[in-house]
């Protein structure tokens, strides 16, 4: 009888121990499984985490933790999990911000350096000078933050447009491939947002193209002289030497002149005074040269009209067209002729626009 009772009590105790062991497993496994998953997102696991997981594993295997120990371990795991998730969140946020900053910087530089050309070959000019067909970058480009607000629709009627709105590409032609470049014998050019700045020792060269060989054209320049000139070239199609056609828009003293030479008529420059300008103020000069029918002779002649600040100052006729055979210059004499050092312009240019004209315009 005693042995039967003792056997019954042992059986009941064995069943209770088995139930406790079975119930404890899911409580211990669930939080540590979540922590391992969070750790793997960070790209590695925490040493403390491994210790906790290992400890938890021992508890589950030996089944010796009390109910209060299991609660403490579960609370500890949740705290560790929160710390890891917080660290993961901060790490991910920092990575996103860092990546965003790099992308913004890269995008800004890509926008500024519009890359009008990538030709690294050297091209010879007169006077031992040479140039490469690469972007003209302002010496102070990194100090400027400029928005290029040029609207192509505002350039109707022109074939070439130098707007000088990008400090990382000052020679860009906004309407085609007639980009301007800087030769190796002049100093670096600076800029302001929206204009190019000449200091009397630099300029841009424009290689000759079919566009500039037109027998009729319109030129418009917005400029600000900051120093009186002495044969100072603003925008010129000036050939080397004599016996070649050409034209020049110049500043002499505080007066704007337009020079023209048609060797079929004369082999010297015809110099025409356009008008006086004030220093440190903006002015606009517009030149039109186009074929028309003479009312007297009924033959084709070329009309020359020059306006300064909206007022026509020159209206005359030229008997024959001009043949342009050399590159052009902005702010200096890119043909390196005699008295070259005197032909530099000092001031700012907002834009230069050039277009081919049809008869009767």
């Amino acid at each position: 009888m005693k042995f039967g009772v003792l056997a019954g009590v042992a059986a009941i105790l064995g069943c209770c121990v088995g139930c406790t062991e079975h119930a404890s497993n899911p409580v211990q496994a669930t939080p540590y499984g979540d922590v391992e998953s969070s750790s793997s997102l960070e790209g590695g696991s925490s040493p403390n985490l491994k210790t906790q997981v290992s400890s938890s594993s021992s508890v589950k295997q030996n089944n010796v933790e009390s109910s209060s120990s299991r609660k403490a371990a579960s609370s500890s795991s949740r705290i560790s999990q929160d710390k890891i998730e917080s660290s993961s969140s901060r790490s991910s946020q920092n990575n996103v911000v860092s990546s965003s900053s790099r992308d913004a910087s890269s995008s800004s530089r890509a926008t500024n350096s519009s890359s009008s050309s990538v030709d690294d070959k050297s091209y010879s000019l007169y006077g031992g000078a040479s140039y490469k067909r690469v972007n003209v970058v302002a010496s102070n480009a990194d100090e400027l933050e400029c928005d290029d607000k040029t609207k192509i629709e505002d350039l109707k009627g022109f074939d070439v447009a130098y707007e000088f709105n990008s400090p990382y590409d000052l020679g860009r032609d906004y309407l085609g491939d007639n980009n301007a470049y800087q030769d190796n014998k002049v100093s670096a050019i600076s800029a302001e947002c929206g204009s190019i700045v000449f200091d009397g020792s630099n300029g841009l060269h424009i290689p000759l193209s079919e566009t500039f060989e037109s027998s009729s054209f319109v030129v418009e320049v917005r400029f600000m002289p900051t120093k009186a000139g002495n044969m100072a070239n603003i925008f010129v199609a000036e050939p080397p030497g004599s016996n070649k056609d050409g034209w020049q828009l110049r500043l002499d003293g505080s007066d704007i002149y337009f020079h023209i030479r048609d060797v079929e008529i004369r082999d010297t420059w015809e110099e025409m005074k356009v008008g006086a300008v004030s220093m440190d103020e903006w002015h606009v000069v517009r030149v039109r040269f186009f074929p028309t029918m003479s009312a007297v002779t009924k033959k084709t002649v070329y009309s020359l009209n020059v306006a300064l600040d909206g007022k026509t100052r020159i209206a005359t006729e030229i008997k024959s067209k001009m043949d342009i055979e050399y590159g052009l210059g902005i702010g200096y004499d890119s043909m390196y002729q005699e008295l070259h050092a005197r032909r530099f312009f000092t001031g700012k240019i907002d834009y230069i626009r050039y277009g081919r004209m049809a008869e009767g315009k």
Side-chain angles (χ1 to χ4, degrees), residues 162-165 194-195 222-223 282 348-352:
Y162 305 106
E163 300 298 300
F164 308 118
N165 286 335
S195 63
R222 186 170 187 259
F223 65 100
W282 288 107
K348 307 172 185 178
I349 298 180
D350 179 14
Y351 63 77
I352 295 177

Side-chain angles (χ1 to χ4, degrees), residues 88-307:
S88 174
S89 176
R90 287 195 301 270
S91 176
S92 298
Q93 183 178 1
N94 290 339
N95 288 340
V96 169
V97 171
S98 177
S99 174
S100 176
S101 298
R102 288 194 300 269
D103 291 345
S105 176
S106 175
S107 174
S108 176
R109 180 57 58 93
T111 301
N112 287 330
S113 56
S114 52
S115 188
S116 64
S117 54
V118 293
D119 186 356
D120 199 43
K121 176 183 175 182
S122 290
Y123 294 84
S124 297
L125 286 174
Y126 288 84
S130 64
Y131 68 95
K132 293 182 178 181
R133 297 188 176 187
V134 296
N135 290 7
V136 178
V137 180
S139 59
N140 60 332
D142 291 339
E143 303 170 11
L144 301 174
E145 295 182 4
C146 305
D147 293 328
D148 189 345
K149 298 181 180 180
T150 302
K151 296 181 179 180
I152 300 301
E153 57 267 27
D154 294 340
L155 305 177
K156 185 178 180 180
F158 297 98
D159 298 291
V160 181
Y162 305 106
E163 300 298 300
F164 308 118
N165 286 335
S166 172
Y168 291 92
D169 195 1
L170 289 174
R172 176 185 173 188
D173 171 17
Y174 279 70
L175 297 177
D177 297 324
N178 293 288
N179 303 306
Y181 306 102
Q182 191 168 22
D183 75 53
N184 64 336
K185 296 187 70 173
V186 298
S187 62
I189 296 179
S190 62
E192 295 178 354
C193 287
S195 63
I196 189 171
V197 181
F198 298 94
D199 64 5
S201 67
N202 42 34
L204 298 179
H205 171 72
I206 306 171
L208 182 65
S209 71
E210 184 178 332
T211 302
F212 294 111
E213 294 176 344
S214 175
S215 60
S216 57
F217 59 88
V218 56
V219 169
E220 186 172 299
V221 182
R222 186 170 187 259
F223 65 100
M224 175 193 290
T226 57
K227 180 181 178 181
N230 185 359
M231 302 175 62
N233 291 349
I234 298 176
F235 186 40
V236 299
E238 181 179 11
S242 57
N243 299 318
K244 297 292 181 182
D245 293 352
W247 51 264
Q248 305 164 336
L249 182 62
R250 275 184 171 170
L251 177 68
D252 277 319
S254 59
D255 294 320
I256 294 295
Y257 279 82
F258 186 74
H259 300 178
I260 191 170
R261 183 168 66 194
D262 179 358
V263 294
E264 290 188 17
I265 301 173
R266 53 194 295 180
D267 59 3
T268 58
W269 292 99
E270 185 174 354
E271 303 178 3
M272 291 170 275
K273 181 179 177 180
V274 179
V277 294
S278 53
M279 300 294 110
D280 302 308
E281 292 185 7
W282 288 107
H283 303 275
V284 177
V285 63
R286 183 179 176 91
V287 179
R288 296 195 305 153
F289 184 79
F290 57 92
T292 187
M293 185 69 69
S294 171
V296 178
T297 65
K298 304 300 182 182
K299 295 181 179 181
T300 299
V301 294
Y302 283 80
S303 179
L304 173 64
N305 294 310
V306 184

Side-chain angles (χ1 to χ4, degrees), residues 28-53 73-85 88:
Q28 295 293 335
T30 301
Y32 294 115
D34 291 343
V35 173
E36 281 186 353
S37 176
S38 176
S39 175
S40 66
L41 291 176
E42 291 273 16
S45 58
S46 167
N48 293 335
L49 177 60
K50 289 182 178 178
T51 302
Q52 292 174 11
V53 173
S74 176
S75 175
S76 175
S77 74
R78 286 195 298 270
I79 292 172
S80 299
Q81 181 179 355
D82 291 341
K83 288 181 178 180
I84 292 172
E85 287 177 348
S88 174

